[in-house]
Amino acid sequence: MSDSSRDTAEGAGWGTAERGAYRRLMPNQAEKISWLDPRMLWAARNGVLASWLGDPTGETRARWAAQRAAAGAPADRVIRRDDPDRFSFLVIGDTGEGGDPQYAVVPGLLREGRDTAFAVLASDVIYPVGSADGYGPKFFRPYRDYPAPIYAIPGNHDWYEDLAGFMRVFCDDAPPLPPAPAPRPLGRAWLRSLLWHRPRAGDGRHLDEARKLRSAPGQRAAQPGPYWAIDAGPVRIVGIDTGLLGTVDAGQGAWLREVSRGPRPKILVTGSPLYVDGKHHPCPVEGGGTVDDIVRDPAHHYVAAIGGDIHNYQRYPVRLDDGRTLQYVVAGGGGAFTHATHTIPRVDVAGVTERDFRCYPLRGDSLAFYSALYGRRLRLRRFFALTDAEAMAVIAERLGIGPTRVPGAPPRVTRRMRLVAGLLGTGRRPDRAKRFRLPVRKMYTSVLSPGSATYSPPFFKSFLRLDVSPEAIRLRCHAATGLRAQETDPPVEDEVVIPLT
């Protein structure tokens, strides 16, 4: 088994430049997405419009649900499979940028997923706006050799064209929704409708040709809508759709409470993680309560909640008042740009401390990665670029923790290293966070980091494999660096056994 980033710097991808063979899988001209491009931001404007002028996704989702019910989808939205009591499946989050970082995940995924029963895509299947013609290079082509069905829940980017492309691909080629009633003139909804991004004319004309790449009988899957449950072996996997703004409408909330009942162990898959970056985001349900209230209810028997949207891996083992431990996981590292982990402050939330918390990339690797990236962009490499050992050392000082990877005596932390760490938004201990908060950190995490896609390894991507038995689930986070050394033997960056009995 390959070394992981917790073992050696080489396991993280440092010290070698031999790129893997994944580029053979890619189209000749792959789209490059930059979130600093004003045209891209304008195309993806619906999230901002929804937050300013009202979020229409609950109403649109209800219309999709009614259409699927009329087409014969099961009323309980449960997919009943005949998997044995022992089986495995994959979870891949935030995949569809269509460039090097997405395709770099594929060789390891095919290796580790060769005997799995199915895969689940958790959030943002297609960037930037979920268009139907994006599915050829960003879904059908990269996963054409994965032999099993793929189910999906949408992310906010899939909603930027009102879910039309997503529904066509995953829900029996669902036809477009009829136009909604015209809003009252001069109101907020009327203004929103004037500015709303919609599919371009002719979108999807290449979809039938793209489907041929995943047309084998064993690859076919149909789901009853954007939210669903899968009964597989001894577990139920519940996938929810959190729309544009990370919320659940009343209709879906009622369904979630109903489908969560009973003693069968359950895993939640959501587009909005419930714990992320050291904070709790319980996810409100329209009409009252939260998704996490439902997940924590001992009568519902959830053992894990896995969320996409944030493009890295994080795990929070939260011990509940009744003695159970719920594994809250962020799994959005499947192909989009990497969200920094070095901005995560020292973890102390819901009883979870640094001793229990896990993330990938490691904070030091994240800081080294971004310091090199901005050193190149600003042409200040000698000032900005930190080695992985320097980054590990300054992270340890700022958070008051020991270095995760100790190759030898750590380097002395200098004023330059501290300044670079501060400029790049590096987290701190909670007792120092307010005293030393810099405006640049908020700017970095909300503006600079999302534009920082890279097309040179290491990419620090990841995916999950879950091995299910009647007694337990073994969850493993596998790394994908894009380098030949780890390409078909993806390192295990984290592993946990979740008891079911």
Side-chain angles (χ1 to χ4, degrees):
M1 181 179 293
S2 297
D3 284 346
S4 75
S5 69
R6 292 179 173 271
D7 300 321
T8 64
E10 291 74 20
W14 304 119
T16 178
E18 189 176 6
R19 190 190 297 263
Y22 66 87
R23 280 195 162 185
R24 299 174 187 173
L25 307 172
M26 297 175 64
N28 292 331
Q29 291 186 331
E31 179 185 10
K32 291 189 177 182
I33 293 176
S34 172
W35 294 106
L36 297 181
D37 185 340
R39 296 170 299 177
M40 200 71 68
L41 295 175
W42 176 244
R45 63 188 178 271
N46 285 1
V48 175
L49 293 175
S51 63
W52 289 353
L53 300 172
D55 184 4
T57 53
E59 178 185 342
T60 306
R61 187 187 294 116
R63 294 169 65 213
W64 280 121
Q67 185 207 72
R68 301 313 302 143
D76 60 3
R77 297 181 175 84
V78 177
I79 302 165
R80 292 174 172 85
R81 295 178 49 87
D82 58 357
D83 300 297
D85 281 350
R86 299 178 187 273
F87 75 99
S88 302
F89 69 100
L90 301 176
V91 177
I92 326 160
D94 298 81
T95 54
E97 281 200 359
D100 288 57
Q102 179 178 11
Y103 279 85
V105 177
V106 174
L109 183 149
L110 294 177
R111 167 76 180 269
E112 289 300 323
R114 62 192 182 278
D115 61 342
T116 52
F118 57 89
V120 175
L121 298 187
S123 180
D124 290 341
V125 182
I126 301 296
Y127 293 95
V129 292
S131 60
D133 277 333
Y135 277 86
K138 301 175 183 180
F139 173 73
F140 289 106
R141 185 183 182 103
Y143 310 120
R144 60 184 174 182
D145 293 326
Y146 178 67
I150 299 177
Y151 305 97
I153 57 168
N156 57 312
H157 287 269
D158 301 304
W159 268 101
Y160 287 164
E161 291 191 348
D162 290 338
L163 218 60
F166 181 96
M167 297 297 291
R168 289 183 65 178
V169 170
F170 294 105
C171 301
D172 285 330
D173 207 13
L177 289 175
R184 182 180 302 175
L186 304 180
R188 295 171 69 205
W190 174 81
L191 179 58
R192 184 185 65 216
S193 69
L194 290 181
L195 299 173
W196 201 249
H197 172 85
R198 293 179 175 84
R200 69 183 188 279
D203 182 45
R205 60 184 179 275
H206 303 298
L207 195 51
D208 288 341
E209 186 66 24
R211 290 182 202 272
K212 296 176 183 178
L213 296 172
R214 280 189 52 84
S215 59
Q219 294 176 314
R220 294 174 186 167
Q223 56 190 62
Y227 59 95
W228 40 258
I230 299 174
D231 282 350
V235 300
R236 170 170 284 186
I237 303 157
V238 180
I240 62 171
D241 168 21
T242 54
L244 281 170
L245 302 181
T247 60
V248 170
D249 63 277
Q252 184 180 186
W255 169 85
L256 177 60
R257 291 184 175 92
E258 182 64 31
V259 82
S260 298
R261 291 175 181 166
R264 192 172 194 153
K266 299 173 186 73
I267 302 167
L268 182 77
V269 181
T270 168
S272 299
L274 303 181
Y275 281 87
V276 61
D277 294 347
K279 297 180 180 178
H280 185 209
H281 298 272
C283 188
V285 176
E286 182 185 16
T290 69
V291 169
D292 202 27
D293 292 338
I294 298 170
V295 168
R296 287 169 177 257
D297 189 329
H300 295 158
H301 298 275
Y302 279 91
V303 297
I306 302 171
D309 189 52
I310 303 302
H311 306 167
N312 53 45
Y313 172 82
Q314 301 173 42
R315 180 168 65 83
Y316 301 81
V318 175
R319 188 170 179 84
L320 304 182
D321 292 341
D322 60 8
R324 294 177 299 135
T325 296
L326 261 170
Q327 299 291 341
Y328 290 88
V329 177
V330 178
F337 67 89
T338 299
H339 273 127
T341 57
H342 65 264
T343 58
I344 303 172
R346 178 167 172 159
V347 171
D348 185 6
V349 60
V352 179
T353 65
E354 282 292 326
R355 183 185 63 182
D356 314 304
F357 171 69
R358 294 291 183 272
C359 69
Y360 178 77
L362 299 177
R363 290 183 178 98
D365 289 330
S366 171
L367 179 58
F369 172 87
Y370 274 104
S371 71
L373 180 66
Y374 281 105
R376 291 194 301 270
R377 289 190 172 182
L378 299 175
R379 300 188 179 183
L380 293 170
R381 295 189 190 192
R382 292 185 64 182
F383 172 75
F384 253 99
L386 303 177
T387 68
D388 66 287
E390 289 174 332
M392 290 282 182
V394 74
I395 288 285
E397 179 185 83
R398 287 176 70 96
L399 271 67
I401 59 176
T404 308
R405 182 172 67 235
V406 187
R412 182 176 64 88
V413 178
T414 65
R415 298 172 77 179
R416 178 187 72 90
M417 292 158 59
R418 294 186 183 105
L419 179 58
V420 171
L423 290 172
L424 293 181
T426 305
R428 282 190 172 272
R429 301 202 302 264
D431 59 331
R432 294 189 177 185
K434 291 185 179 180
R435 285 178 58 197
F436 292 97
R437 181 177 294 148
L438 295 174
V440 72
R441 180 181 174 194
K442 185 174 182 181
M443 180 183 73
Y444 174 80
T445 55
S446 62
V447 178
L448 295 179
S449 180
S452 300
T454 181
Y455 297 92
S456 298
F459 296 123
F460 297 111
K461 299 287 92 191
S462 58
F463 63 91
L464 306 185
R465 174 179 168 125
L466 290 90
D467 301 310
V468 180
S469 74
E471 299 80 30
I473 297 171
R474 182 176 67 164
L475 182 153
R476 287 178 290 173
C477 171
H478 286 277
T481 63
L483 296 165
R484 185 176 295 274
Q486 297 111 353
E487 187 165 56
T488 57
D489 187 15
V492 176
E493 290 292 336
D494 186 33
E495 180 172 350
V496 63
V497 175
I498 306 170
L500 298 184
T501 56

